[in-house]
Amino acid sequence: MQPFEKVILHFDGDSFFASVEQVMDYRLKGKPVVTGGERGAITSASYEAKRLGISRGVTLRDAKKICPDLAIVPGNYLWYSVFAERMYTIVREFTSIVEEYSIDECFADITGLDVVMKMSYEDIARVIKSKLETSLGVTFGVGMGPSKVLAKVASKHRKPAGFTVITSQNREDFLRELPLGKVWGIGPASSIAFSKMGVFTALQLAETTDAWIDHHRVSLPYREIRAELQGMSVKELSLEYEIPHSIIVSRTFRPPSSDREVLISQLSKHIESACAKARRYGVCAREMRFYLKTQEFAYKGYECSLPLPTASPIDIIRMVKKFINRIYVPGVLYRATGICLRGFVPESHLSSDLFGESVGVEKRSHVHKVIDMLSRKFGDHTVFLGSSMKALGDQKIRERGKTLEIPMLGICRTTNIGVVRCVE
Amino acid sequence: MRTGFAAPATEELADTITIGEYLIRHKESTYLMKVEGDGMASEGLLDGDMVLFERRIDAKRGDIVIVLDEAGYRLVPLSKRLVGQIIGVVTASFRTYAAF
């Protein structure tokens, strides 16, 4: 009874970061929680917070005014990526055609699976959804449709924990009231451009004629969206791993310190982790931001672009040392540091510079290859920079290199086996 | 002429298994917790033991489950009268000793 060629599912983790925080720390369960404390802006809000009107875009100060009891937690991106990996793996148990669209979303093509599993497509979607929700403890908005664009319209339709199916019969009902700007792939500028041509809703775009499209010289990406809204699958699922938008590493340390060298050493450790991750993706960063968090939970950050795209910690630590005094205040106690790398370009796209700085970069890349191999074999930070010594020296002795690949439910923001949540 | 042991071929190495593989059957739904106190000594779980549990919905009577209530997490053998929400079913445990 499937009138369409393709059956695409879109999975969208509900308030993903905040939900993971609630899974990992039971004290946050059922409470208004936002993540993003480390960058001073809300990155995710739990449904309890959303019900109060707190969402991305609201400032932390306003959110605190709306809800004085609001729990503001720093993002733990390691956890989120572990949960994301689990999400992709669970969906892949059903089909190999899975697009890891983002840390909290993925697409899956289940065309033909009804015959293999002897189940209706709706039931297959429900089985995957329930497996995701039990295994991760996080609810998902799931959409099913004949194209990626329609599957995404469907998953957004009812949140949280919704499951919506768009078919040829009901397609028009979903698109009739949907403002064009809410359709995946249509930004604010293009939605204004379309409205000037008299197209305001998704259905209006779907119902334009070929002649109209040609006459207005609508470009290919929008022709594709139009086709997808009509129920034709033209956007292929991308099975490659996406280049991340940014890599963030941050950690609270104890005891708090006002020692500039300790802070640099903490940053150095994070920079090594962030660079190792960038190298795993085969990318170099063009921009960086680092920050210090005081004992009073105030954040001070500094951002700058890098002279050359790099995934070498030495280049980035040099910038930290150069600029840390712009944000560091002697005598103030700090409790956390963080680093964010951004503006990634693929390693292979790097062109040589005029003045030969990239020669040094190349030399170091051999060193990194070896360091990365050692890390794979013996665990992260097996070999580390002298500048990370203060932060890592003691820790390595404590840990004895023992880490597990499974998240430990707890309140401590770590995957160190020594500080796991206790159960009585 | 002295010789050492023959290096095992990679196919033979494929027969080995890591402790993690032995203890974890469903990696995607398995989580770890540390036991605090000796309340579960009768079940062979002592203070400081690590337990692995799976988030799943098919807990059966006699399974050791992790239950969440206002006071936090508790380990209990699943019985009829149970207060709190079942978080998962314990599937394995391990312990390290003084010499570790």
Side-chain angles (χ1 to χ4, degrees):
Chain A
M1 119 94 251
Q2 276 295 326
F4 291 105
E5 225 181 322
K6 291 256 176 175
V7 183
I8 311 286
L9 297 178
H10 179 247
F11 297 91
D12 190 352
D14 294 322
S15 301
F16 195 64
F17 297 172
S19 300
V20 170
E21 296 292 340
Q22 288 178 319
V23 168
M24 296 298 280
D25 183 349
Y26 70 91
R27 295 168 308 174
L28 299 175
K29 242 185 179 178
K31 298 200 177 117
V33 180
V34 296
T35 60
E38 82 287 356
R39 59 170 81 177
I42 294 173
T43 50
S44 166
S46 73
Y47 272 84
E48 295 82 1
K50 279 184 182 152
R51 269 194 283 277
L52 301 171
I54 297 166
S55 61
R56 276 159 67 161
V58 175
T59 63
L60 279 177
R61 175 193 286 248
D62 288 344
K64 217 44 188 161
K65 252 185 234 159
I66 296 169
C67 174
D69 292 334
L70 182 70
I72 302 170
V73 297
N76 189 321
Y77 294 88
L78 177 65
W79 285 354
Y80 309 153
S81 61
V82 168
F83 275 74
E85 284 302 326
R86 287 180 171 212
M87 162 177 77
Y88 309 142
T89 311
I90 289 166
V91 180
R92 280 208 179 90
E93 286 170 17
F94 296 86
T95 170
S96 59
I97 311 172
V98 174
E99 175 177 333
E100 303 180 0
Y101 180 65
S102 74
I103 196 161
D104 57 354
E105 287 173 70
C106 67
F107 289 99
D109 183 341
I110 57 163
T111 313
L113 212 59
D114 56 335
V115 179
V116 181
M117 289 182 68
K118 297 190 178 69
M119 286 167 90
S120 71
Y121 285 124
E122 281 88 342
D123 284 344
I124 295 170
R126 280 195 196 94
V127 167
I128 305 176
K129 175 174 155 71
S130 114
K131 176 124 203 236
L132 282 172
E133 293 178 345
T134 348
S135 303
L136 303 183
V138 172
T139 60
F140 283 79
V142 181
M144 186 166 119
S147 66
K148 283 167 82 176
V149 169
L150 286 176
K152 215 162 144 86
V153 169
S155 70
K156 265 201 208 149
H157 183 65
R158 216 153 31 86
K159 297 203 90 184
F163 172 47
T164 305
V165 184
I166 294 186
T167 63
S168 62
Q169 281 82 36
N170 66 15
R171 182 181 63 89
E172 294 185 5
D173 300 330
F174 281 96
L175 303 185
R176 190 167 292 120
E177 306 287 326
L178 188 68
L180 197 54
K182 296 249 173 186
V183 173
W184 177 46
I186 301 206
S190 40
S191 101
I192 290 170
F194 275 112
S195 69
K196 281 185 185 150
M197 297 182 244
V199 173
F200 299 94
T201 68
L203 188 60
Q204 284 174 322
L205 177 61
E207 288 182 339
T208 52
T209 60
D210 289 349
W212 187 92
I213 289 286
D214 289 337
H215 174 74
H216 285 91
R217 299 209 181 104
V218 173
S219 64
L220 183 65
Y222 302 102
R223 287 173 192 240
E224 284 186 353
I225 292 170
R226 169 175 168 262
E228 292 245 324
L229 286 171
Q230 290 168 341
M232 284 179 277
S233 175
V234 292
K235 284 167 170 271
E236 293 273 319
L237 268 69
S238 153
L239 307 182
E240 286 170 42
Y241 296 91
E242 303 271 332
I243 290 178
H245 176 69
S246 61
I247 293 175
I248 299 166
V249 181
S250 63
R251 216 61 95 229
T252 304
F253 55 87
R254 237 169 273 160
S257 174
S258 54
D259 183 341
R260 191 170 159 274
E261 295 311 308
V262 168
L263 299 175
I264 290 177
S265 177
Q266 288 290 338
L267 281 165
S268 169
K269 178 181 88 173
H270 301 332
I271 289 165
E272 288 200 75
S273 305
C275 286
K277 190 163 179 187
R279 293 198 298 268
R280 276 205 293 281
Y281 282 105
V283 294
C284 291
R286 283 176 306 186
E287 292 155 41
M288 63 171 287
R289 176 174 188 272
F290 64 96
Y291 66 83
L292 307 174
K293 180 184 177 188
T294 70
Q295 188 64 350
E296 276 70 48
F297 290 84
Y299 290 89
K300 271 277 168 69
Y302 186 85
E303 60 185 295
C304 58
S305 47
L306 294 155
L308 280 173
T310 182
S312 166
I314 295 169
D315 297 335
I316 293 163
I317 291 161
R318 188 178 299 138
M319 303 300 275
V320 166
K321 285 184 174 159
K322 194 166 162 191
F323 293 116
I324 191 165
N325 281 348
R326 305 255 181 118
I327 56 172
Y328 167 77
V329 183
V332 170
L333 276 178
Y334 295 94
R335 68 197 313 271
T337 63
I339 175 84
C340 173
L341 301 182
R342 268 197 311 235
F344 291 117
V345 286
E347 221 166 20
S348 50
H349 290 196
L350 293 183
S351 51
S352 311
D353 60 300
L354 271 178
F355 303 103
E357 286 99 326
S358 60
V359 177
V361 173
E362 240 163 60
K363 249 190 217 160
R364 277 200 301 271
S365 82
H366 293 295
V367 178
H368 292 141
K369 243 175 229 161
V370 175
I371 292 177
D372 293 341
M373 274 160 54
L374 286 169
S375 297
R376 268 200 296 280
K377 182 144 189 180
F378 300 108
D380 289 344
H381 300 299
T382 299
V383 179
F384 52 85
L385 288 173
S387 52
S388 305
M389 187 65 185
K390 271 204 167 82
L392 273 167
D394 297 343
Q395 188 188 325
K396 284 313 276 186
I397 293 161
R398 268 203 316 276
E399 279 179 19
R400 295 178 200 152
K402 302 281 190 294
T403 53
L404 282 186
E405 283 169 26
I406 44 173
M408 291 170 235
L409 216 59
I411 49 169
C412 308
R413 282 164 207 295
T414 180
T415 44
N416 178 349
I417 199 165
V419 275
V420 185
R421 177 82 203 144
C422 294
V423 59
E424 280 170 26
Chain B
M1 193 161 88
R2 290 200 299 177
T3 59
F5 290 105
T10 39
E11 301 87 75
E12 287 169 53
L13 288 175
D15 276 344
T16 63
I17 134 173
T18 67
I19 300 290
E21 283 165 335
Y22 175 71
L23 291 175
I24 300 168
R25 199 125 23 113
H26 300 108
K27 194 167 179 275
E28 278 64 54
S29 50
T30 300
Y31 300 78
L32 183 68
M33 267 200 196
K34 191 177 191 171
V35 180
E36 209 175 66
D38 284 327
M40 286 296 279
S42 59
E43 302 289 333
L45 293 173
L46 303 180
D47 185 48
D49 283 2
M50 304 298 288
V51 293
L52 289 159
F53 68 91
E54 279 179 20
R55 279 185 182 277
R56 57 187 208 208
I57 39 175
D58 58 347
K60 288 185 291 293
R61 242 179 119 167
D63 283 345
I64 299 174
V65 293
I66 291 181
V67 169
L68 177 62
D69 56 26
E70 278 102 66
Y73 296 110
R74 264 182 316 123
L75 275 170
V76 284
L78 186 58
S79 62
K80 262 191 193 151
R81 27 184 205 87
L82 180 86
V83 193
Q85 183 201 354
I86 296 179
I87 296 293
V89 182
V90 172
T91 49
S93 71
F94 54 91
R95 181 181 303 158
T96 54
Y97 292 87
F100 179 68

